[in-house]
Amino acid sequence: QVQLVESGGGLVKPGGSLRLSCAASGFTFSAYYMSWIRQAPGKGLEWVLYISSSGSTIYYADSVKGRFTISRDNAKSSLYLQMNSLRAEDTAVYYCARTACSSTSCQYYFDYWGQGTLVTVSS
Amino acid sequence: DIQMTQSPSTLSASVGDRVTITCRASQSISSWLAWYQQKPGKAPKLLIYEASSLESGVPSRFSGSGSGTEFTLTISSLQPGDFATYYCQQYHTYSTFGQGTKVEI
């Protein structure tokens, strides 16, 4: 069965950096687009980034452009989120999600989600 | 940017009720819309994609309709496990979620 397990969350000071990881299993990771989506405490969902199956194409939300970078290692079935210049408003649970976009069909909804990892930006 | 507006924000209902949630897009998104259910402390779960396609394993009491700018999620007979927050998501241009609708007793 499809599993996505995030790690790397924690407490970081404003202006600091953090790297999140997502370990995938139960499907052909290299065939699918992947995404990060976040949810501030008590708030709604915010899509953050998509990355294509090869890693060659990346889409960013304006709120993180220039500060966050998404990458993937298909050999390790892993997705990463490098977060720099963190702000208080980046405090959220960060979810790794499989995007329903593969070589056979492509739609940009999220069919499997991890359990999330909490990032808290505070001094 | 495409804005998604859900209504109502909160909905009080009882087991067995028929429930309808509306999602409006600020511009046409064709049928590129998904619906998710989220329970407290859990990740969202996909219910509906492409506006009206039921995700595998999701009970048939959930249905979606609409195209263009107006969409609805209907739960035909509310069950105890359906009390949750529901989100719509457009994926016509990047991705945007609605603000959520909490279905409570």
Side-chain angles (χ1 to χ4, degrees):
Chain A
Q1 72 282 19
V2 173
Q3 274 201 304
L4 299 168
V5 180
E6 301 95 336
S7 60
L11 176 64
V12 61
K13 289 182 167 52
S17 298
L18 206 59
R19 189 193 196 210
L20 306 183
S21 299
C22 172
S25 60
F27 67 102
T28 304
F29 180 76
S30 60
Y32 285 85
Y33 277 52
M34 297 294 294
S35 300
W36 288 98
I37 298 134
R38 66 184 181 182
Q39 186 170 36
K43 302 297 185 183
L45 300 165
E46 180 189 13
W47 165 75
V48 178
L49 307 103
Y50 288 116
I51 185 169
S52 64
S53 53
S54 67
S56 59
T57 302
I58 295 171
Y59 301 107
Y60 295 89
D62 287 344
S63 58
V64 304
K65 204 170 289 184
R67 300 188 301 121
F68 288 15
T69 303
I70 188 173
S71 61
R72 62 192 297 161
D73 184 336
N74 286 341
K76 295 183 178 179
S77 295
S78 293
L79 180 71
Y80 305 102
L81 180 62
Q82 178 66 44
M83 303 184 293
N84 299 327
S85 303
L86 282 160
R87 307 166 180 166
E89 55 265 35
D90 296 318
T91 294
V93 173
Y94 284 75
Y95 294 102
C96 159
R98 192 178 84 168
T99 305
C101 182
S102 67
S103 57
T104 53
S105 72
C106 188
Q107 294 193 37
Y108 293 87
Y109 59 87
F110 311 109
D111 55 0
Y112 290 94
W113 298 61
Q115 85 288 352
T117 187
L118 177 62
V119 172
T120 303
V121 184
S122 175
S123 55
Chain B
D1 289 6
I2 298 176
Q3 308 302 318
M4 305 300 292
T5 304
Q6 287 182 234
S7 60
S9 296
T10 306
L11 189 158
S12 296
S14 300
V15 172
D17 283 354
R18 181 181 182 88
V19 166
T20 298
I21 299 168
T22 297
C23 181
R24 289 186 174 86
S26 60
Q27 64 189 74
S28 177
I29 58 170
S30 185
S31 296
W32 303 125
L33 184 104
W35 289 97
Y36 301 85
Q37 176 193 67
Q38 187 179 33
K39 296 181 179 179
K42 300 293 188 182
K45 173 188 173 184
L46 175 67
L47 300 174
I48 302 281
Y49 62 93
E50 207 172 346
S52 60
S53 295
L54 192 68
E55 173 70 350
S56 176
V58 174
S60 59
R61 63 180 179 274
F62 292 93
S63 64
S65 64
S67 66
T69 62
E70 188 152 337
F71 302 85
T72 58
L73 172 70
T74 299
I75 309 171
S76 60
S77 178
L78 201 62
Q79 298 303 299
D82 300 338
F83 291 95
T85 300
Y86 293 83
Y87 293 94
C88 61
Q89 175 222 352
Q90 71 80 17
Y91 51 95
H92 175 275
T93 304
Y94 301 119
S95 182
T96 316
F97 290 90
Q99 81 279 13
T101 295
K102 184 177 182 180
V103 176
E104 59 183 22
I105 299 173

